[in-house]
Amino acid sequence: MADAPSGADVVNNGALLTHEDKIIAVGSAEEILMHPSLTNASMLDRIDCKNQLLLPGFIDCHTHLVYAGDRSREFEQRLEGVSYEEIARLGGGIRSTVTDTRHSAQEDLVRGAVSRAKRMCSEGVTTIEVKGGYGLTLECEQKMLRVARSLETVLPVSVHTTFLGAHAVPEEFSGRSDGYIDLVCSVMLPEIAKEGLADSVDAFCENIAFSEPQVRRVFEKAHALGLPVRLHADQLSNSQGARLAAEFSALSADHLEYTDEAGVRALKQAGTVAVLLPGAFYFLKEQQRPPVNLFRKHQVPMALATDCNPGSSPVESLLLILNMGCVLFGLTPREAVAGITVHAAKALGYSDRGVLASGKRADFSVFEVESLAQLCYPVGTREPSMVIQAGNLVSKNPKP
Ligand code: NIG
Ligand code: FE
């Protein structure tokens, strides 16, 4: 194999040895061929990846993959000058996807989610985080999270599910958002946790969504139930979301366009990953960029994700996001690739993937490129020549 990046370091003329679903050694081709476990070299299933780049399986650590309907009418409204916040205040936005998702049968939600996830997998994604948050009733949130979990049974991908009950105030609770938070904390969260439907809990802290005290209640309940938290923070205004996420040792704080230096320091202290979402930044024509230089200065790990959703980021390509992270946010190719591998794994609380190292999951893909810059450079998709998930070859595209 030409290059075997461990984390974001590129190894030339590298090789990698796997057994079942694990990597057992990574090193130079010479070292690997001398590896003690290779007593009978003829037993080897060897794949030559000469002049190609071998990368850890990509991790999309922030998606709203399960939903029904589309929001193209709102897209037109925004082109006519109506803002994302105004549309939400008028009862559209997240609420309109909630209406469609509530009316959608589980099989139809599965169909939509599978087709989106399939496209992600074809680019080398081997782990996806999937949020609920378009149901906003116990039954509909259960339906969404069951659909999310089912993806693992039909596609070569691992799924991390996130309960996002505090995404928007549902119509039936208009003017009674505290009452809705009561329902989230006393009924929805305990039931979702009991059924093991969620691996983490998210909330949307913003003036069009939930206040700091309301999010605090959700997070306290999540912790009481043993679930880690993450937060949609400081996306449209500085609502002190980063600080709040850090206070609860959140796995990640996401968006962060309006986060100030005190918020960045808090993230650093808490070990919280900053998840940057250039798809939403682009699609909402946001002018304020997340404070990338402050994340660098304070050494806060930065992840990148699609935020795939029908309202603010109808994007299914993590490779496009890699390019957007570089062009829109000024990340280096190395930072961008770390953002969809090692740092994305940390954002999901996983230490068993995201790097090519002995003992990690055998999730990786092979691209016909010579450098990380070449991977990040095209605007749009680029198919890997091979994807391996949990040690199994799941796709192979013949060289042209
Ligand atoms: O990450 N910010 C809140 N949630 C989504 C948008 C959801 C929607 O508009 O449907 C986001 O941007
Ligand atoms: Fe989101």
Side-chain angles (χ1 to χ4, degrees):
M1 282 159 208
D3 300 320
S6 137
D9 299 321
V10 179
V11 177
N12 286 314
N13 193 26
L16 178 142
L17 187 64
T18 67
H19 181 62
E20 294 176 346
D21 62 346
K22 294 276 186 304
I23 296 172
I24 53 174
V26 183
S28 71
E30 294 76 31
E31 277 165 1
I32 296 301
L33 284 170
M34 301 294 286
H35 194 272
S37 68
L38 297 182
T39 44
N40 183 354
S42 63
M43 296 283 286
L44 265 181
D45 201 0
R46 275 175 71 164
I47 305 177
D48 186 357
C49 298
K50 208 167 169 195
N51 299 326
Q52 300 191 72
L53 190 70
L54 181 65
L55 291 144
F58 299 149
I59 299 169
D60 195 343
C61 66
H62 181 141
T63 85
H64 305 252
L65 203 65
V66 179
Y67 63 82
D70 83 62
R71 306 244 288 275
S72 51
R73 175 63 201 123
E74 290 179 11
F75 174 60
E76 271 185 322
Q77 281 179 289
R78 286 197 298 106
L79 292 173
E80 287 155 12
V82 191
S83 75
Y84 181 72
E85 287 102 314
E86 275 173 271
I87 291 170
R89 284 199 190 94
L90 294 169
I94 294 171
R95 272 191 189 174
S96 72
T97 303
V98 169
T99 305
D100 290 336
T101 305
R102 284 181 179 178
H103 288 123
S104 189
Q106 190 160 319
E107 312 80 78
D108 295 330
L109 287 176
V110 169
R111 207 168 304 122
V114 166
S115 94
R116 290 185 273 275
K118 238 187 205 163
R119 279 193 282 279
M120 292 176 169
C121 294
S122 74
E123 287 193 344
V125 171
T126 50
T127 300
I128 308 181
E129 185 260 10
V130 184
K131 302 175 195 296
Y134 290 128
L136 313 184
T137 60
L138 174 61
E139 294 69 28
C140 195
E141 289 296 324
Q142 286 168 318
K143 178 171 75 173
M144 287 189 75
L145 294 173
R146 284 184 190 127
V147 171
R149 282 260 192 260
S150 76
L151 296 175
E152 278 189 341
T153 63
V154 289
L155 291 172
V157 70
S158 10
V159 173
H160 176 110
T161 57
T162 301
F163 173 65
L164 176 55
H167 194 196
V169 181
E171 204 176 344
E172 62 277 16
F173 278 90
S174 262
R176 296 186 296 127
S177 58
D178 279 325
Y180 177 64
I181 292 294
D182 288 343
L183 180 74
V184 167
C185 294
S186 60
V187 179
M188 294 164 83
L189 247 173
E191 193 52 37
I192 297 278
K194 194 173 91 192
E195 286 180 49
L197 278 172
D199 300 313
S200 61
V201 173
D202 195 348
F204 186 17
C205 184
E206 194 58 68
N207 44 42
I208 54 165
F210 296 96
S211 66
E212 181 182 328
Q214 290 172 329
V215 172
R216 196 177 283 280
R217 288 181 56 204
V218 175
F219 282 3
E220 277 163 3
K221 188 70 194 181
H223 276 188
L225 293 164
L227 289 168
V229 301
R230 60 183 72 257
L231 186 65
H232 281 72
D234 306 332
Q235 178 187 11
L236 308 167
S237 62
N238 183 354
S239 29
Q240 297 295 312
R243 210 182 25 73
L244 180 60
E247 193 185 317
F248 284 85
S249 306
L251 289 172
S252 70
D254 304 43
H255 289 286
L256 303 175
E257 277 83 346
Y258 289 85
T259 300
D260 57 20
E261 189 158 9
V264 175
R265 275 209 195 89
L267 294 178
K268 173 63 188 171
Q269 269 184 355
T272 299
V273 176
V275 177
L276 310 185
L277 304 168
F281 172 91
Y282 161 80
F283 196 68
L284 298 184
K285 293 210 275 185
E286 178 58 63
Q287 297 300 309
Q288 172 108 1
R289 298 198 318 167
V292 165
N293 280 332
L294 291 177
F295 295 135
R296 286 182 181 132
K297 175 177 163 194
H298 295 285
Q299 296 180 312
V300 173
M302 291 178 276
L304 283 172
T306 59
D307 193 13
C308 176
N309 77 72
S312 70
S313 186
V315 176
E316 291 159 13
S317 169
L318 199 53
L319 289 173
L320 173 61
I321 291 298
L322 211 51
N323 175 274
M324 284 184 171
C326 297
V327 175
L328 299 175
F329 293 167
L331 299 191
T332 64
R334 176 183 280 251
E335 285 173 325
V337 172
I340 62 168
T341 54
V342 60
H343 294 159
K346 184 168 162 60
L348 298 182
Y350 295 147
S351 55
D352 65 345
R353 65 196 78 182
V355 290
L356 298 177
S358 135
K360 305 292 178 188
R361 280 172 62 96
D363 288 350
F364 52 92
S365 57
V366 181
F367 282 83
E368 241 174 280
V369 295
E370 286 169 10
S371 64
L372 298 180
Q374 221 175 54
L375 184 75
C376 297
Y377 148 82
V379 184
T381 62
R382 182 199 274 287
E383 294 230 309
S385 49
M386 204 180 298
V387 180
I388 280 118
Q389 196 252 0
N392 298 311
L393 178 64
V394 295
S395 77
K396 193 165 186 212
N397 302 308
K399 287 187 194 179

